[in-house]
Amino acid sequence: MSLELRARVREEFRRRFGGEPSFLARAPGRVNLIGDHTDYNEGFVLPMAIDREVWLAVRARADRRVAVHSIDFDEDATFALDDGAARRGGWVEYLRAVAWALEDDGRPTRGWEGVAAGDVPVGAGLSSSAALELATARTFAAISGVVWQPVAMARIAQRAENEFVGVNCGIMDQLISAAGAAGHALLIDCRSLETQLVRIPDSVAVIVLDTGTRRGLVDSAYNERRMQCETAARFFGVRALRDVDVATFAAREAELDPVTRKRARHVITENARTLDAARLLGENNVAGVGALMDESHASLRDDFEVSRNELDTMVEVARKHDACLGARMTGAGFGGCAVALVRREGAAAFARGVSQAYTETIGLQPAVYVCAASQGASVELLD
Ligand code: GLA
């Protein structure tokens, strides 16, 4: 939990609005250890919330307006809770989207004023938008006296993103930001939304490796993959690819066209790997988890085709390091970050070595984050 951000939003609140905020709310970004492009196939994912977060310092207002200052964007924004769907773009859309989705779900909202700041890198694939959505949802819940239910709130935030912001994402990012726990990854069944905490052994570090690349066309490629998965599910006569096991796939894969076959193979094998990885992590078999992460990368690269040269290179240089147990691209792909599971005692040398090797090979400066698994969205009442 970032004590520095906590102090900054509080101080800036005093300066801008006078007096003390009544609440501090925070929500984390995430990294996914394994299970990508499985959530919208009603399958399994194993993310953890990271110690990079969005913070809000807030106080209720008497009217139905929200006024927020963003320290990161050095920008003020205000909106009326009842002003419907007019879009303005930018970070404030996420706040408006959550307010809309809460009301639409029958949960009353109230106006507030506040200051926001965060340290989740934007556009890196670490779910800065989910962090902002959940920090906003946590704020509205606190201000309006609504009981905090992590799963319900994650669904509301996902709806905000799908229907208001217009991004067709699955449930993973919002749910881990809502329900993460310190020291743990979270196995999520994206159909039932049942979750199971899996302790991350002290012997390993989870290291995020940002390639420094971003890709603009993520949305259209993402939606195309979703459609290909739906085509495959129809072929097998099931509601989602979650319902096809590896043996059923093997028996009929020859009947599929080559692209649909590859997409389906990724999702079906990734679901199996994710369940195995959760079990092995719980048994402290970190080498086994690492091997599954390596396989997951190959599947995302060759079958799902959402990697790129920089991500492949990052994964290769990471794996060459002695302390590395496994590495893969993480999240939607096409750019952004890889994640590595690394022996704790070698973590610092790994971060330095991989950074240098990546720059030598690609000519780009990566960002490396040694991440601690942190708590999901929370609120602190100040009096
Ligand atoms: C993005 C989406 C998630 C998930 C991942 C891929 O992060 O927001 O819902 O589909 O891509 O695993």
Side-chain angles (χ1 to χ4, degrees):
M1 194 174 297
S2 170
L3 293 176
E4 194 213 330
L5 283 172
R6 180 182 181 280
R8 274 182 76 199
V9 290
R10 199 171 178 182
E11 209 173 286
E12 189 64 18
F13 183 96
R14 289 195 198 104
R15 217 170 66 76
R16 293 196 166 254
F17 296 105
E20 284 291 325
S22 38
F23 294 101
L24 298 174
R26 55 162 281 287
R30 65 99 184 92
V31 64
N32 190 20
L33 297 181
I34 193 163
D36 272 311
H37 294 277
T38 46
D39 63 353
Y40 54 80
N41 290 296
E42 302 188 9
F44 300 93
V45 295
L46 187 64
M48 69 176 216
I50 58 176
D51 48 345
R52 296 196 152 249
E53 315 176 318
V54 170
W55 279 74
L56 278 163
V58 300
R59 185 170 65 197
R61 288 166 61 116
D63 58 9
R64 288 189 50 74
R65 294 189 72 77
V66 171
V68 196
H69 174 76
S70 161
I71 297 183
D72 306 325
F73 294 95
D74 190 21
E75 216 171 83
D76 296 316
T78 75
F79 61 92
L81 287 170
D82 307 302
D83 82 350
R87 306 289 151 92
R88 286 162 225 171
W91 58 274
V92 76
E93 284 309 295
Y94 294 101
L95 283 76
R96 298 181 65 222
V98 169
W100 165 82
L102 282 164
E103 284 282 345
D104 205 63
D105 197 63
R107 297 171 200 250
T109 56
R110 280 183 63 187
W112 48 269
E113 55 207 7
V115 169
D119 61 2
V120 191
V122 173
L126 299 176
S127 295
S128 60
S129 50
L132 180 54
E133 287 157 6
L134 269 299
T136 303
R138 194 69 199 84
T139 295
F140 273 115
I143 291 275
S144 318
V146 170
V147 180
W148 182 250
Q149 298 160 306
V151 175
M153 289 296 169
R155 292 181 90 137
I156 287 169
Q158 183 201 9
R159 215 172 141 230
E161 178 117 13
N162 292 165
E163 290 177 34
F164 195 97
V165 180
V167 176
N168 205 12
C169 62
I171 190 72
M172 168 168 69
D173 307 344
Q174 287 77 18
L175 188 45
I176 184 63
S177 184
H184 293 77
L186 192 68
L187 176 66
I188 302 174
D189 178 334
C190 298
R191 171 171 282 165
S192 67
L193 300 190
E194 274 164 26
T195 60
Q196 186 190 318
L197 288 171
V198 187
R199 232 188 84 72
I200 298 177
D202 295 334
S203 60
V204 293
V206 173
I207 302 190
V208 170
L209 305 160
D210 187 345
T211 59
T213 59
R214 305 290 182 256
R215 169 130 167 216
L217 292 172
V218 176
D219 280 2
S220 56
Y222 186 89
N223 289 338
E224 184 191 53
R225 296 300 184 285
R226 283 189 76 137
M227 272 153 39
Q228 292 163 337
C229 292
E230 283 159 21
T231 303
R234 272 197 302 277
F235 168 80
F236 285 103
V238 293
R239 176 173 139 175
L241 280 181
R242 143 73 173 268
D243 298 311
V244 182
D245 60 23
V246 176
T248 309
F249 174 75
R252 292 198 61 195
E253 64 168 308
E255 296 167 52
L256 284 165
D257 72 85
V259 172
T260 312
R261 184 190 312 151
K262 288 204 281 185
R263 303 299 187 254
R265 182 164 54 214
H266 166 68
V267 173
I268 292 162
T269 57
E270 185 82 345
N271 275 330
R273 279 188 291 273
T274 304
L275 288 171
D276 286 346
R279 181 175 45 79
L280 293 176
L281 194 61
E283 291 167 2
N284 254 319
N285 184 345
V286 289
V289 178
L292 290 168
M293 291 171 75
D294 290 351
E295 282 176 32
S296 168
H297 184 78
S299 180
L300 287 157
R301 182 191 59 207
D302 303 335
D303 280 344
F304 219 63
E305 296 181 286
V306 291
S307 190
R308 64 187 282 164
N309 179 34
E310 290 84 349
L311 282 165
D312 296 340
T313 303
M314 185 67 95
V315 164
E316 273 161 37
V317 298
R319 281 186 199 151
K320 281 194 186 129
H321 198 279
D322 285 349
C324 187
L325 295 156
R328 58 187 286 278
M329 56 150 278
T330 182
F334 309 108
C337 294
V339 61
L341 194 68
V342 177
R343 290 188 206 288
R344 167 79 54 196
E345 69 275 10
F350 173 91
R352 276 194 309 275
V354 170
S355 205
Q356 199 185 343
Y358 178 75
T359 305
E360 276 163 15
T361 319
I362 291 279
L364 284 172
Q365 185 64 45
V368 178
Y369 310 110
V370 181
C371 292
S374 69
Q375 190 198 352
S378 63
V379 74
E380 186 184 337
L381 173 60
L382 306 169
D383 38 27

PDB file of all heavy atoms in Angstrom, residues 167-197:
ATOM      1  N   VAL A 167     -15.345  -0.535 -23.954  1.00  0.00           N
ATOM      2  CA  VAL A 167     -14.300  -1.556 -24.120  1.00  0.00           C
ATOM      3  C   VAL A 167     -14.880  -2.906 -23.686  1.00  0.00           C
ATOM      4  O   VAL A 167     -15.388  -3.052 -22.581  1.00  0.00           O
ATOM      5  CB  VAL A 167     -13.045  -1.211 -23.285  1.00  0.00           C
ATOM      6  CG1 VAL A 167     -12.013  -2.319 -23.396  1.00  0.00           C
ATOM      7  CG2 VAL A 167     -12.453   0.112 -23.750  1.00  0.00           C
ATOM      8  N   ASN A 168     -14.754  -3.874 -24.582  1.00  0.00           N
ATOM      9  CA  ASN A 168     -15.433  -5.152 -24.408  1.00  0.00           C
ATOM     10  C   ASN A 168     -14.607  -6.148 -23.580  1.00  0.00           C
ATOM     11  O   ASN A 168     -14.381  -7.270 -24.009  1.00  0.00           O
ATOM     12  CB  ASN A 168     -15.684  -5.713 -25.813  1.00  0.00           C
ATOM     13  CG  ASN A 168     -16.844  -6.656 -25.840  1.00  0.00           C
ATOM     14  OD1 ASN A 168     -17.602  -6.727 -24.872  1.00  0.00           O
ATOM     15  ND2 ASN A 168     -16.975  -7.391 -26.928  1.00  0.00           N
ATOM     16  N   CYS A 169     -14.135  -5.746 -22.395  1.00  0.00           N
ATOM     17  CA  CYS A 169     -13.228  -6.593 -21.613  1.00  0.00           C
ATOM     18  C   CYS A 169     -14.002  -7.669 -20.848  1.00  0.00           C
ATOM     19  O   CYS A 169     -15.218  -7.598 -20.713  1.00  0.00           O
ATOM     20  CB  CYS A 169     -12.443  -5.731 -20.615  1.00  0.00           C
ATOM     21  SG  CYS A 169     -13.497  -4.905 -19.425  1.00  0.00           S
ATOM     22  N   GLY A 170     -13.279  -8.667 -20.342  1.00  0.00           N
ATOM     23  CA  GLY A 170     -13.859  -9.672 -19.457  1.00  0.00           C
ATOM     24  C   GLY A 170     -13.884  -9.159 -18.021  1.00  0.00           C
ATOM     25  O   GLY A 170     -13.740  -7.953 -17.775  1.00  0.00           O
ATOM     26  N   ILE A 171     -14.017 -10.087 -17.057  1.00  0.00           N
ATOM     27  CA  ILE A 171     -14.206  -9.697 -15.650  1.00  0.00           C
ATOM     28  C   ILE A 171     -12.897  -9.671 -14.862  1.00  0.00           C
ATOM     29  O   ILE A 171     -12.830  -9.119 -13.767  1.00  0.00           O
ATOM     30  CB  ILE A 171     -15.209 -10.651 -14.944  1.00  0.00           C
ATOM     31  CG1 ILE A 171     -15.634 -10.164 -13.549  1.00  0.00           C
ATOM     32  CG2 ILE A 171     -14.646 -12.077 -14.842  1.00  0.00           C
ATOM     33  CD1 ILE A 171     -16.536  -8.987 -13.536  1.00  0.00           C
ATOM     34  N   MET A 172     -11.808 -10.228 -15.427  1.00  0.00           N
ATOM     35  CA  MET A 172     -10.595 -10.436 -14.621  1.00  0.00           C
ATOM     36  C   MET A 172     -10.089  -9.175 -13.923  1.00  0.00           C
ATOM     37  O   MET A 172      -9.850  -9.182 -12.710  1.00  0.00           O
ATOM     38  CB  MET A 172      -9.470 -11.002 -15.491  1.00  0.00           C
ATOM     39  CG  MET A 172      -8.113 -10.980 -14.794  1.00  0.00           C
ATOM     40  SD  MET A 172      -6.852 -11.923 -15.614  1.00  0.00           S
ATOM     41  CE  MET A 172      -6.560 -10.988 -17.095  1.00  0.00           C
ATOM     42  N   ASP A 173      -9.897  -8.088 -14.688  1.00  0.00           N
ATOM     43  CA  ASP A 173      -9.197  -6.924 -14.134  1.00  0.00           C
ATOM     44  C   ASP A 173      -9.988  -6.293 -12.990  1.00  0.00           C
ATOM     45  O   ASP A 173      -9.427  -5.925 -11.954  1.00  0.00           O
ATOM     46  CB  ASP A 173      -8.955  -5.881 -15.238  1.00  0.00           C
ATOM     47  CG  ASP A 173      -8.255  -6.481 -16.451  1.00  0.00           C
ATOM     48  OD1 ASP A 173      -7.697  -7.592 -16.329  1.00  0.00           O
ATOM     49  OD2 ASP A 173      -8.281  -5.855 -17.518  1.00  0.00           O
ATOM     50  N   GLN A 174     -11.288  -6.175 -13.198  1.00  0.00           N
ATOM     51  CA  GLN A 174     -12.125  -5.551 -12.164  1.00  0.00           C
ATOM     52  C   GLN A 174     -12.222  -6.447 -10.923  1.00  0.00           C
ATOM     53  O   GLN A 174     -12.182  -5.968  -9.794  1.00  0.00           O
ATOM     54  CB  GLN A 174     -13.524  -5.273 -12.716  1.00  0.00           C
ATOM     55  CG  GLN A 174     -13.593  -4.102 -13.701  1.00  0.00           C
ATOM     56  CD  GLN A 174     -13.078  -4.447 -15.085  1.00  0.00           C
ATOM     57  OE1 GLN A 174     -12.966  -5.606 -15.461  1.00  0.00           O
ATOM     58  NE2 GLN A 174     -12.753  -3.421 -15.863  1.00  0.00           N
ATOM     59  N   LEU A 175     -12.323  -7.744 -11.154  1.00  0.00           N
ATOM     60  CA  LEU A 175     -12.512  -8.628  -9.997  1.00  0.00           C
ATOM     61  C   LEU A 175     -11.246  -8.733  -9.135  1.00  0.00           C
ATOM     62  O   LEU A 175     -11.328  -8.732  -7.904  1.00  0.00           O
ATOM     63  CB  LEU A 175     -12.996 -10.013 -10.454  1.00  0.00           C
ATOM     64  CG  LEU A 175     -13.418 -10.979  -9.344  1.00  0.00           C
ATOM     65  CD1 LEU A 175     -14.290 -10.318  -8.288  1.00  0.00           C
ATOM     66  CD2 LEU A 175     -14.156 -12.179  -9.927  1.00  0.00           C
ATOM     67  N   ILE A 176     -10.087  -8.781  -9.770  1.00  0.00           N
ATOM     68  CA  ILE A 176      -8.874  -8.859  -8.944  1.00  0.00           C
ATOM     69  C   ILE A 176      -8.623  -7.526  -8.232  1.00  0.00           C
ATOM     70  O   ILE A 176      -8.179  -7.504  -7.086  1.00  0.00           O
ATOM     71  CB  ILE A 176      -7.633  -9.331  -9.759  1.00  0.00           C
ATOM     72  CG1 ILE A 176      -6.416  -9.492  -8.857  1.00  0.00           C
ATOM     73  CG2 ILE A 176      -7.297  -8.406 -10.909  1.00  0.00           C
ATOM     74  CD1 ILE A 176      -6.545 -10.530  -7.782  1.00  0.00           C
ATOM     75  N   SER A 177      -8.962  -6.412  -8.890  1.00  0.00           N
ATOM     76  CA  SER A 177      -8.785  -5.117  -8.227  1.00  0.00           C
ATOM     77  C   SER A 177      -9.749  -4.993  -7.037  1.00  0.00           C
ATOM     78  O   SER A 177      -9.438  -4.348  -6.040  1.00  0.00           O
ATOM     79  CB  SER A 177      -9.013  -3.964  -9.212  1.00  0.00           C
ATOM     80  OG  SER A 177      -8.751  -2.728  -8.580  1.00  0.00           O
ATOM     81  N   ALA A 178     -10.908  -5.637  -7.138  1.00  0.00           N
ATOM     82  CA  ALA A 178     -11.888  -5.583  -6.044  1.00  0.00           C
ATOM     83  C   ALA A 178     -11.550  -6.560  -4.923  1.00  0.00           C
ATOM     84  O   ALA A 178     -11.773  -6.284  -3.754  1.00  0.00           O
ATOM     85  CB  ALA A 178     -13.287  -5.889  -6.577  1.00  0.00           C
ATOM     86  N   ALA A 179     -11.014  -7.733  -5.287  1.00  0.00           N
ATOM     87  CA  ALA A 179     -10.990  -8.841  -4.320  1.00  0.00           C
ATOM     88  C   ALA A 179      -9.601  -9.400  -4.018  1.00  0.00           C
ATOM     89  O   ALA A 179      -9.493 -10.425  -3.344  1.00  0.00           O
ATOM     90  CB  ALA A 179     -11.899  -9.967  -4.828  1.00  0.00           C
ATOM     91  N   GLY A 180      -8.546  -8.762  -4.501  1.00  0.00           N
ATOM     92  CA  GLY A 180      -7.189  -9.257  -4.242  1.00  0.00           C
ATOM     93  C   GLY A 180      -6.878  -9.305  -2.752  1.00  0.00           C
ATOM     94  O   GLY A 180      -7.547  -8.657  -1.947  1.00  0.00           O
ATOM     95  N   ALA A 181      -5.858 -10.088  -2.396  1.00  0.00           N
ATOM     96  CA  ALA A 181      -5.444 -10.155  -0.990  1.00  0.00           C
ATOM     97  C   ALA A 181      -3.924 -10.131  -0.915  1.00  0.00           C
ATOM     98  O   ALA A 181      -3.246 -10.732  -1.765  1.00  0.00           O
ATOM     99  CB  ALA A 181      -5.971 -11.432  -0.348  1.00  0.00           C
ATOM    100  N   ALA A 182      -3.399  -9.457   0.105  1.00  0.00           N
ATOM    101  CA  ALA A 182      -1.947  -9.354   0.268  1.00  0.00           C
ATOM    102  C   ALA A 182      -1.325 -10.742   0.309  1.00  0.00           C
ATOM    103  O   ALA A 182      -1.869 -11.661   0.950  1.00  0.00           O
ATOM    104  CB  ALA A 182      -1.631  -8.588   1.550  1.00  0.00           C
ATOM    105  N   GLY A 183      -0.222 -10.921  -0.391  1.00  0.00           N
ATOM    106  CA  GLY A 183       0.515 -12.176  -0.337  1.00  0.00           C
ATOM    107  C   GLY A 183      -0.088 -13.306  -1.158  1.00  0.00           C
ATOM    108  O   GLY A 183       0.426 -14.420  -1.133  1.00  0.00           O
ATOM    109  N   HIS A 184      -1.173 -13.029  -1.875  1.00  0.00           N
ATOM    110  CA  HIS A 184      -1.888 -14.102  -2.578  1.00  0.00           C
ATOM    111  C   HIS A 184      -2.177 -13.764  -4.034  1.00  0.00           C
ATOM    112  O   HIS A 184      -2.406 -12.604  -4.379  1.00  0.00           O
ATOM    113  CB  HIS A 184      -3.228 -14.377  -1.898  1.00  0.00           C
ATOM    114  CG  HIS A 184      -3.102 -14.959  -0.530  1.00  0.00           C
ATOM    115  ND1 HIS A 184      -2.774 -14.184   0.553  1.00  0.00           N
ATOM    116  CD2 HIS A 184      -3.244 -16.222  -0.078  1.00  0.00           C
ATOM    117  CE1 HIS A 184      -2.726 -14.963   1.641  1.00  0.00           C
ATOM    118  NE2 HIS A 184      -2.998 -16.205   1.277  1.00  0.00           N
ATOM    119  N   ALA A 185      -2.235 -14.820  -4.848  1.00  0.00           N
ATOM    120  CA  ALA A 185      -2.873 -14.715  -6.156  1.00  0.00           C
ATOM    121  C   ALA A 185      -4.314 -15.176  -5.969  1.00  0.00           C
ATOM    122  O   ALA A 185      -4.662 -15.726  -4.920  1.00  0.00           O
ATOM    123  CB  ALA A 185      -2.142 -15.592  -7.163  1.00  0.00           C
ATOM    124  N   LEU A 186      -5.156 -14.923  -6.979  1.00  0.00           N
ATOM    125  CA  LEU A 186      -6.566 -15.277  -6.852  1.00  0.00           C
ATOM    126  C   LEU A 186      -6.969 -16.119  -8.059  1.00  0.00           C
ATOM    127  O   LEU A 186      -6.905 -15.643  -9.195  1.00  0.00           O
ATOM    128  CB  LEU A 186      -7.403 -13.990  -6.812  1.00  0.00           C
ATOM    129  CG  LEU A 186      -8.864 -14.128  -6.399  1.00  0.00           C
ATOM    130  CD1 LEU A 186      -8.985 -14.533  -4.929  1.00  0.00           C
ATOM    131  CD2 LEU A 186      -9.610 -12.801  -6.616  1.00  0.00           C
ATOM    132  N   LEU A 187      -7.353 -17.358  -7.791  1.00  0.00           N
ATOM    133  CA  LEU A 187      -7.885 -18.192  -8.878  1.00  0.00           C
ATOM    134  C   LEU A 187      -9.355 -17.811  -9.041  1.00  0.00           C
ATOM    135  O   LEU A 187     -10.135 -17.895  -8.097  1.00  0.00           O
ATOM    136  CB  LEU A 187      -7.757 -19.679  -8.532  1.00  0.00           C
ATOM    137  CG  LEU A 187      -8.379 -20.640  -9.553  1.00  0.00           C
ATOM    138  CD1 LEU A 187      -7.635 -20.581 -10.894  1.00  0.00           C
ATOM    139  CD2 LEU A 187      -8.375 -22.081  -9.016  1.00  0.00           C
ATOM    140  N   ILE A 188      -9.698 -17.350 -10.242  1.00  0.00           N
ATOM    141  CA  ILE A 188     -11.083 -16.921 -10.485  1.00  0.00           C
ATOM    142  C   ILE A 188     -11.724 -17.857 -11.505  1.00  0.00           C
ATOM    143  O   ILE A 188     -11.156 -18.093 -12.571  1.00  0.00           O
ATOM    144  CB  ILE A 188     -11.136 -15.478 -11.041  1.00  0.00           C
ATOM    145  CG1 ILE A 188     -10.454 -14.499 -10.075  1.00  0.00           C
ATOM    146  CG2 ILE A 188     -12.585 -15.054 -11.302  1.00  0.00           C
ATOM    147  CD1 ILE A 188     -10.328 -13.075 -10.618  1.00  0.00           C
ATOM    148  N   ASP A 189     -12.878 -18.366 -11.155  1.00  0.00           N
ATOM    149  CA  ASP A 189     -13.721 -19.077 -12.110  1.00  0.00           C
ATOM    150  C   ASP A 189     -14.602 -18.006 -12.758  1.00  0.00           C
ATOM    151  O   ASP A 189     -15.500 -17.464 -12.112  1.00  0.00           O
ATOM    152  CB  ASP A 189     -14.570 -20.116 -11.361  1.00  0.00           C
ATOM    153  CG  ASP A 189     -15.521 -20.858 -12.288  1.00  0.00           C
ATOM    154  OD1 ASP A 189     -15.896 -20.288 -13.332  1.00  0.00           O
ATOM    155  OD2 ASP A 189     -15.901 -21.992 -11.950  1.00  0.00           O
ATOM    156  N   CYS A 190     -14.311 -17.690 -14.004  1.00  0.00           N
ATOM    157  CA  CYS A 190     -14.979 -16.541 -14.636  1.00  0.00           C
ATOM    158  C   CYS A 190     -16.406 -16.860 -15.068  1.00  0.00           C
ATOM    159  O   CYS A 190     -17.090 -15.990 -15.601  1.00  0.00           O
ATOM    160  CB  CYS A 190     -14.149 -16.024 -15.810  1.00  0.00           C
ATOM    161  SG  CYS A 190     -12.530 -15.432 -15.290  1.00  0.00           S
ATOM    162  N   ARG A 191     -16.872 -18.067 -14.824  1.00  0.00           N
ATOM    163  CA  ARG A 191     -18.299 -18.365 -15.039  1.00  0.00           C
ATOM    164  C   ARG A 191     -19.073 -18.151 -13.744  1.00  0.00           C
ATOM    165  O   ARG A 191     -19.977 -17.346 -13.692  1.00  0.00           O
ATOM    166  CB  ARG A 191     -18.486 -19.795 -15.530  1.00  0.00           C
ATOM    167  CG  ARG A 191     -19.957 -20.198 -15.559  1.00  0.00           C
ATOM    168  CD  ARG A 191     -20.163 -21.516 -16.251  1.00  0.00           C
ATOM    169  NE  ARG A 191     -20.095 -21.360 -17.694  1.00  0.00           N
ATOM    170  CZ  ARG A 191     -19.956 -22.376 -18.542  1.00  0.00           C
ATOM    171  NH1 ARG A 191     -19.859 -23.605 -18.080  1.00  0.00           N
ATOM    172  NH2 ARG A 191     -19.930 -22.160 -19.839  1.00  0.00           N
ATOM    173  N   SER A 192     -18.673 -18.841 -12.685  1.00  0.00           N
ATOM    174  CA  SER A 192     -19.424 -18.743 -11.423  1.00  0.00           C
ATOM    175  C   SER A 192     -19.002 -17.523 -10.606  1.00  0.00           C
ATOM    176  O   SER A 192     -19.702 -17.134  -9.686  1.00  0.00           O
ATOM    177  CB  SER A 192     -19.179 -20.000 -10.585  1.00  0.00           C
ATOM    178  OG  SER A 192     -17.818 -20.030 -10.155  1.00  0.00           O
ATOM    179  N   LEU A 193     -17.846 -16.952 -10.952  1.00  0.00           N
ATOM    180  CA  LEU A 193     -17.211 -15.868 -10.194  1.00  0.00           C
ATOM    181  C   LEU A 193     -16.825 -16.305  -8.783  1.00  0.00           C
ATOM    182  O   LEU A 193     -16.633 -15.475  -7.892  1.00  0.00           O
ATOM    183  CB  LEU A 193     -18.062 -14.597 -10.181  1.00  0.00           C
ATOM    184  CG  LEU A 193     -18.350 -14.016 -11.576  1.00  0.00           C
ATOM    185  CD1 LEU A 193     -18.985 -12.647 -11.457  1.00  0.00           C
ATOM    186  CD2 LEU A 193     -17.075 -13.914 -12.420  1.00  0.00           C
ATOM    187  N   GLU A 194     -16.701 -17.614  -8.596  1.00  0.00           N
ATOM    188  CA  GLU A 194     -16.119 -18.103  -7.344  1.00  0.00           C
ATOM    189  C   GLU A 194     -14.615 -17.851  -7.396  1.00  0.00           C
ATOM    190  O   GLU A 194     -13.995 -17.960  -8.453  1.00  0.00           O
ATOM    191  CB  GLU A 194     -16.359 -19.599  -7.195  1.00  0.00           C
ATOM    192  CG  GLU A 194     -17.698 -19.891  -6.563  1.00  0.00           C
ATOM    193  CD  GLU A 194     -18.112 -21.337  -6.767  1.00  0.00           C
ATOM    194  OE1 GLU A 194     -17.222 -22.191  -6.928  1.00  0.00           O
ATOM    195  OE2 GLU A 194     -19.326 -21.570  -6.790  1.00  0.00           O
ATOM    196  N   THR A 195     -14.060 -17.530  -6.221  1.00  0.00           N
ATOM    197  CA  THR A 195     -12.632 -17.235  -6.182  1.00  0.00           C
ATOM    198  C   THR A 195     -11.962 -18.066  -5.094  1.00  0.00           C
ATOM    199  O   THR A 195     -12.608 -18.476  -4.124  1.00  0.00           O
ATOM    200  CB  THR A 195     -12.377 -15.745  -5.867  1.00  0.00           C
ATOM    201  OG1 THR A 195     -12.956 -15.454  -4.588  1.00  0.00           O
ATOM    202  CG2 THR A 195     -12.973 -14.835  -6.919  1.00  0.00           C
ATOM    203  N   GLN A 196     -10.688 -18.284  -5.282  1.00  0.00           N
ATOM    204  CA  GLN A 196      -9.922 -19.037  -4.291  1.00  0.00           C
ATOM    205  C   GLN A 196      -8.550 -18.391  -4.148  1.00  0.00           C
ATOM    206  O   GLN A 196      -7.839 -18.214  -5.144  1.00  0.00           O
ATOM    207  CB  GLN A 196      -9.783 -20.470  -4.809  1.00  0.00           C
ATOM    208  CG  GLN A 196      -9.140 -21.429  -3.855  1.00  0.00           C
ATOM    209  CD  GLN A 196      -8.837 -22.738  -4.583  1.00  0.00           C
ATOM    210  OE1 GLN A 196      -9.644 -23.240  -5.364  1.00  0.00           O
ATOM    211  NE2 GLN A 196      -7.655 -23.277  -4.368  1.00  0.00           N
ATOM    212  N   LEU A 197      -8.202 -18.018  -2.937  1.00  0.00           N
ATOM    213  CA  LEU A 197      -6.892 -17.398  -2.714  1.00  0.00           C
ATOM    214  C   LEU A 197      -5.805 -18.457  -2.757  1.00  0.00           C
ATOM    215  O   LEU A 197      -5.975 -19.542  -2.201  1.00  0.00           O
ATOM    216  CB  LEU A 197      -6.868 -16.708  -1.350  1.00  0.00           C
ATOM    217  CG  LEU A 197      -7.680 -15.418  -1.236  1.00  0.00           C
ATOM    218  CD1 LEU A 197      -7.751 -14.968   0.217  1.00  0.00           C
ATOM    219  CD2 LEU A 197      -7.066 -14.326  -2.103  1.00  0.00           C
TER     220      LEU A 197
END
